[in-house]
Amino acid sequence: MAMPHLQQPDPAHPLPQNDTLPEDDRDQPLYKTRDKVYPKRVSGYFRNLKWFALITLLAIYWIVPWLRWDRGASAPDQAVLIDMDMGRAYFFFIEIWPQEVYYITGLLILAAIGLFLATSLFGRIWCGYGCPQTVWTDLFMLVERHIQGDRNARMRLDKSPWTFEKIWKIGATHLSWLVIAAATGGAFVLYFNDAPKVIADIFTGHASLGVYVTIAFLTFSTYLLAGWAREQVCTYMCPWPRFQSAMLDDESMIVTYEGWRGEPRGPIKRKNLVRGEVPEVGHCIDCYACFNVCPTGIDIRDGLQMECIGCGLCIDACNEMMDKVGFPRDLVRFDSVQNSQLRAHGKATNIRILRPRTIFYSVILVLVASVMAFGLLNRTTLEVNVLRDRNPIFVTLSDGDVRNGYTLKVLNKEQAAKTYILQIEGLDASDFQVIGLTPNQDGTFSLDVAPDRVGSFRVFVAANPETLNSESTPFEFSVTDPEDNVRETYDTVFAGPK
Amino acid sequence: MSTHVEKDQVSGHETTGHEWDGIKELNTPLPSWWVYVFWATIVWSVGYWVVYPSWPTATSYLTGMFETTNRTQLHETMANVAAERAPYMERLAALDLDEIVNDSELLNFSMAGGKAVFAENCAPCHGTGGSGNPGFPSLQDDDWLWGGTLEAVNETVHVGVRWDANEDTRFNDMPAFGRDEILEREDINDVVQYVLAFTGRETDKAAANRGAGVFADNCASCHGEDAKGVQELGAPNLTDAIWLYGGDAATITETVNNSRGGVMPAWGGRLDEETIKMLTVYVHSLGGGQ
Ligand code: SF4
Ligand code: SF4
């Protein structure tokens, strides 16, 4: 049974016999032109998983900016928004101020450890299913196939002269790619602006230059990377494949070819099958189905390779063939290297999820996640910072008292205007004043801070040097929110003469 | 393709044929588009030379297409800043000082703006943050030679002190009692002891008592009978803890002997009205404003 295969891969094996030094090495190619990959359509379990990932991830990307979340009049009602001008990031019920950027750091750490864990368990599933490069390339290939046809049709089209049919097919493909690319760039800016408003602005020409430049850049890069560069991004640009092997061990689930039962490969003699005889060849019928569907254009039978993104499409392709010829499935399978070897020796296999490596990653993951959850749950809505004047450290007043100056920053992280009560504790002050404010009856001050804003106040405290025990007397500012009964204090010192 | 391609026996990879101490270099060819990107960056740099100022010429340099220099960008930035400030500046011009201080937004704007202006113009004498230097008053304390209200500070900034070029300048002239031989040496010693007595620091009670008469005849006309100073005349209070030149006996003796006369430039006309208002609000906010 001969399957048509138009392109023979260059198998690295078998080893060459001739091992002589070249007399002249000027002919060595230093640059490699890209062999265009024409992945064939395939169906099966892994392809379905990939469709599911594609639809889910793209839906999230395009729908999320349109979700609304009511935060009252003082804040935007977009559920997920990074507001650069105001310096706020919103994620549903979470709001983050610039100085809380450690939450984002935490998120990135979680993402990294999560990636390590997933890789040590399941190989490059991020590459095969989750990475934007993969998702968009998959989408672009879908469009390409719908317009130009499957693998063989596309290869024929590329080789054919420029007829009208070729022009419109290629033209329509690139146009569709550009439309998708523009929608990709367009959706990105929605995360940084009020979505309905910025969409209207974009089409009426009122959006900012930054918005247009971002869209143009992302349109161009999406078109270039998903339309033209594709597997070149994974092979040459992306750093992840370079060090992913550090997370893998013999028990990681990866896409492998079971050489022990596939070899010796060779086309199957139909008569052998009919007669029910055991074929002398291995189960691999050398049909190249696995190679033809591979989006990175490699042959999985050469073993685990850097180019392999672990998409599993070759498994689907091979299973289809095995079903047709009546050999057992999973000649190319998603399993660990160890299990593959165990099977080769007829031993029982097992999948061990809990290994030192995965436990280690999980523990870190849980740790970082709990620290973050703790931080978020205990996030204060009121924060006080005090900067003490240092030039001069203190001022002598005409009555001999000394005075210290402070700049008080009160962060109101609630979506409501607040009036806080400011007082000092632990110091026998002779005078206490806030510039621009009149004191309350009891000598405290009422600080008004707008919703979701920082209030900045100049505070002066004076004391008689006789009452000070040392040149630096510790005391504290206390800021109370009488409504919510929240109190924040800030420890500082009062400086005086020796 | 090369005619003599050698393959590495372990990896099956082609080698470049280069060998060092038995270690052979595998040939891992670069994708050719990578090289095209390299060429593209070179082409890009040519565009860069055309658009931006680049090569020097014998007498000048290539100026670029759109006058995009750091200097024009700076001017643009400054113009943008001025445009952003304009609404505040208009309100500063329209409102008087009390109204500005009572508007928390303008108060903060003026304190920030005044701080920058102060650092550029006033800090060399009065110190950063107005902390003062010997002979140059601290603006943070509550002792004012010419008054510490918004209006008084504003006026002083406008007209300066002993600034001849301004006819309305703040002016007074303390006699040099010793140098001009107005008082005898003993009288000066007595009056210094008397002045020290205001803050309880005299060392010679008898001299201090004798000094009372000298003070009443020579000093009280400006510094007041009670020596608490007269702001209209710019005469300092001698009974408080603050001494512009120093409050020890030697320094006070020197002051009485030779007089003092600090000078401050008049800023009216040199700085625009809005800027002076910001400066006034800032100085007033430093802690001593009355
Ligand atoms: S070898 Fe298989 S798993 Fe790897 S990229 Fe190709 S099709 Fe996907
Ligand atoms: S591994 Fe499977 S799909 Fe690939 S050539 Fe062999 S039989 Fe065909």
Side-chain angles (χ1 to χ4, degrees):
Chain A
M1 149 162 197
M3 287 293 290
H5 54 84
L6 296 168
Q7 202 177 358
Q8 283 272 358
D10 172 29
H13 307 283
L15 299 176
Q17 303 307 310
N18 181 354
D19 185 23
T20 52
L21 271 177
E23 280 137 28
D24 181 358
D25 60 12
R26 276 173 305 179
D27 295 323
Q28 293 275 4
L30 292 175
Y31 306 115
K32 192 162 83 187
T33 44
R34 176 186 176 218
D35 295 321
K36 192 171 171 188
V37 184
Y38 298 88
K40 192 172 156 62
R41 201 184 73 85
V42 64
S43 51
Y45 177 77
F46 290 94
R47 182 62 262 186
N48 288 344
L49 266 185
K50 233 164 122 62
W51 287 135
F52 175 75
L54 179 125
I55 292 166
T56 315
L57 294 171
L58 288 179
I60 290 175
Y61 180 65
W62 270 303
I63 290 172
V64 160
W66 300 97
L67 301 179
R68 301 289 108 179
W69 190 270
D70 186 21
R71 297 187 182 88
S74 53
D77 66 346
Q78 187 160 320
V80 177
L81 176 70
I82 296 171
D83 187 341
M84 287 292 192
D85 290 343
M86 290 306 303
R88 298 282 185 278
Y90 303 95
F91 186 82
F92 296 93
F93 59 96
I94 302 171
E95 178 189 336
I96 287 177
W97 286 39
Q99 62 268 44
E100 295 170 312
V101 78
Y102 45 76
Y103 286 121
I104 296 180
T105 314
L107 214 61
L108 292 175
I109 294 175
L110 283 185
I113 312 274
L115 189 57
F116 295 171
L117 177 63
T119 303
S120 65
L121 287 175
F122 308 116
R124 288 175 69 179
I125 53 162
W126 162 256
C127 295
Y129 295 85
C131 176
Q133 174 62 24
T134 284
V135 172
W136 261 266
T137 300
D138 223 13
L139 180 64
F140 274 42
M141 283 174 176
L142 178 70
V143 170
E144 181 181 64
R145 199 169 65 231
H146 271 287
I147 298 173
Q148 301 180 12
D150 207 355
R151 176 178 162 88
N152 295 345
R154 291 206 301 278
M155 291 172 103
R156 235 179 291 120
L157 189 68
D158 270 5
K159 287 210 182 82
S160 78
W162 284 94
T163 58
F164 174 75
E165 193 208 356
K166 179 166 177 175
I167 291 171
W168 92 254
K169 276 188 172 172
I170 303 276
T173 307
H174 285 265
L175 202 69
S176 316
W177 286 352
L178 279 169
V179 170
I180 298 173
T184 305
F188 187 77
V189 297
L190 302 185
Y191 287 86
F192 296 85
N193 296 277
D194 183 51
K197 186 177 170 299
V198 80
I199 281 284
D201 287 351
I202 289 167
F203 286 109
T204 53
H206 289 98
S208 68
L209 183 65
V211 166
Y212 288 115
V213 170
T214 308
I215 295 178
F217 178 76
L218 285 169
T219 302
F220 173 72
S221 56
T222 307
Y223 170 72
L224 192 75
L225 297 186
W228 292 86
R230 295 188 173 176
E231 82 290 343
Q232 299 282 304
V233 175
C234 312
T235 311
Y236 293 109
M237 298 186 203
C238 180
W240 174 231
R242 292 312 99 84
F243 61 89
Q244 50 121 2
S245 52
M247 283 104 218
L248 296 177
D249 55 34
D250 274 0
E251 293 182 79
S252 303
M253 308 272 286
I254 55 168
V255 179
T256 44
Y257 164 69
E258 311 243 272
W260 60 271
R261 80 170 160 110
E263 303 296 330
R265 63 185 77 163
I268 188 159
K269 308 259 182 330
R270 202 173 178 77
K271 50 181 181 175
N272 281 359
L273 264 187
V274 172
R275 287 187 202 143
E277 287 172 17
V278 180
E280 314 102 51
V281 289
H283 287 180
C284 173
I285 56 172
D286 210 16
C287 64
Y288 282 97
C290 54
F291 169 79
N292 290 343
V293 300
C294 177
T296 70
I298 57 165
D299 191 334
I300 189 63
R301 294 173 299 171
D302 295 338
L304 179 62
Q305 291 148 82
M306 191 189 72
E307 290 89 343
C308 174
I309 58 171
C311 66
L313 295 185
C314 47
I315 302 177
D316 285 344
C318 185
N319 280 343
E320 211 176 302
M321 283 303 140
M322 293 295 104
D323 288 350
K324 270 190 194 156
V325 298
F327 287 144
R329 289 184 135 224
D330 289 335
L331 175 55
V332 182
R333 68 190 290 161
F334 187 61
D335 205 345
S336 68
V337 173
Q338 197 182 63
N339 280 352
S340 187
Q341 279 161 0
L342 286 172
R343 249 192 315 277
H345 296 98
K347 290 184 192 144
T349 62
N350 73 320
I351 293 168
R352 203 153 62 101
I353 298 287
L354 294 179
R355 310 192 295 274
R357 180 190 292 274
T358 59
I359 293 171
F360 177 70
Y361 290 142
S362 308
V363 167
I364 304 183
L365 202 63
V366 170
L367 225 81
V368 176
S370 359
V371 168
M372 272 186 74
F374 181 81
L376 275 173
L377 290 175
N378 291 285
R379 182 177 181 269
T380 54
T381 50
L382 165 65
E383 209 175 295
V384 179
N385 285 315
V386 176
L387 300 165
R388 213 177 68 78
D389 286 3
R390 280 167 203 280
N391 188 19
I393 290 173
F394 63 88
V395 174
T396 306
L397 300 178
S398 46
D399 59 4
D401 283 1
V402 290
R403 197 191 64 210
N404 284 205
Y406 304 85
T407 303
L408 190 75
K409 304 257 183 204
V410 181
L411 285 66
N412 174 12
K413 296 187 191 170
E414 273 184 70
Q415 299 297 348
K418 288 280 174 188
T419 301
Y420 299 107
I421 302 296
L422 171 71
Q423 59 196 102
I424 47 178
E425 283 165 20
L427 185 75
D428 183 11
S430 61
D431 189 29
F432 171 38
Q433 46 168 313
V434 180
I435 293 292
L437 297 182
T438 37
N440 300 327
Q441 298 279 314
D442 56 354
T444 62
F445 284 88
S446 299
L447 312 177
D448 290 322
V449 186
D452 204 33
R453 289 285 182 284
V454 183
S456 181
F457 304 91
R458 284 287 292 155
V459 182
F460 290 113
V461 180
N464 185 337
E466 322 256 286
T467 64
L468 301 171
N469 313 334
S470 69
E471 53 185 293
S472 163
T473 313
F475 76 104
E476 63 183 25
F477 283 103
S478 129
V479 176
T480 320
D481 176 3
E483 269 171 57
D484 297 355
N485 209 11
V486 178
R487 180 167 168 271
E488 278 291 320
T489 58
Y490 194 98
D491 293 329
T492 183
V493 293
F494 185 91
K498 282 182 194 166
Chain B
M1 280 298 281
S2 133
T3 40
H4 301 282
V5 175
E6 186 205 19
K7 294 217 174 180
D8 173 57
Q9 281 202 322
V10 178
S11 64
H13 227 283
E14 287 177 11
T15 76
T16 59
H18 302 157
E19 182 177 342
W20 292 272
D21 293 341
I23 299 170
K24 287 174 187 168
E25 184 191 15
L26 300 184
N27 184 19
T28 311
L30 205 61
S32 35
W33 58 260
W34 197 288
V35 190
Y36 302 147
V37 170
F38 173 62
W39 291 116
T41 58
I42 293 177
V43 174
W44 177 265
S45 75
V46 175
Y48 220 85
W49 300 338
V50 176
V51 175
Y52 284 96
S54 51
W55 296 99
T57 58
T59 53
S60 168
Y61 60 92
L62 299 184
T63 54
M65 271 168 66
F66 309 111
E67 305 269 315
T68 17
T69 64
N70 289 357
R71 196 166 299 172
T72 54
Q73 282 171 349
L74 174 71
H75 286 310
E76 256 171 52
T77 312
M78 296 306 282
N80 288 342
V81 171
E84 267 176 45
R85 282 183 190 162
Y88 293 99
M89 288 305 206
E90 274 164 30
R91 281 163 66 201
L92 282 182
L95 299 178
D96 64 35
L97 289 162
D98 286 321
E99 293 169 313
I100 293 169
V101 176
N102 284 323
D103 179 323
S104 68
E105 197 183 9
L106 281 184
L107 172 70
N108 282 324
F109 180 81
S110 305
M111 290 200 313
K115 186 177 184 180
V117 179
F118 188 91
E120 280 170 19
N121 298 286
C122 318
C125 293
H126 286 288
T128 42
S131 52
N133 281 311
F136 301 98
S138 160
L139 304 174
Q140 299 192 336
D141 62 30
D142 58 346
D143 186 31
W144 296 89
L145 291 171
W146 298 97
T149 60
L150 283 166
E151 283 67 35
V153 172
N154 193 42
E155 174 70 9
T156 307
V157 173
H158 268 97
V159 300
V161 178
R162 299 183 192 91
W163 190 251
D164 296 341
N166 188 305
E167 46 190 60
D168 298 324
T169 191
R170 305 276 201 194
F171 185 84
N172 65 21
D173 195 5
M174 173 175 167
F177 290 97
R179 194 178 63 211
D180 293 346
E181 296 173 0
I182 301 169
L183 289 176
E184 296 298 325
R185 184 178 289 249
E186 294 74 42
D187 292 340
I188 291 178
N189 281 341
D190 291 351
V191 84
V192 167
Q193 288 303 314
Y194 178 68
V195 167
L196 285 171
F198 295 138
T199 40
R201 297 176 299 154
E202 79 277 22
T203 49
D204 182 344
K205 281 234 157 45
N209 285 338
R210 285 197 302 276
V214 182
F215 188 87
D217 293 346
N218 296 282
C219 316
S221 56
C222 289
H223 289 284
E225 299 288 344
D226 55 2
K228 288 206 179 336
V230 177
Q231 279 184 352
E232 292 76 49
L233 302 173
N237 182 348
L238 304 177
T239 64
D240 64 17
I242 295 167
W243 296 88
L244 181 53
Y245 294 91
D248 55 299
T251 316
I252 297 176
T253 307
E254 191 190 328
T255 304
V256 177
N257 265 318
N258 298 321
S259 166
R260 303 281 185 182
V263 174
M264 167 176 157
W267 295 95
R270 294 173 68 171
L271 299 175
D272 58 45
E273 284 303 303
E274 295 84 352
T275 306
I276 292 183
K277 279 182 176 172
M278 290 197 292
L279 197 53
T280 303
V281 171
Y282 171 70
V283 169
H284 190 260
S285 78
L286 286 175
Q290 290 163 345

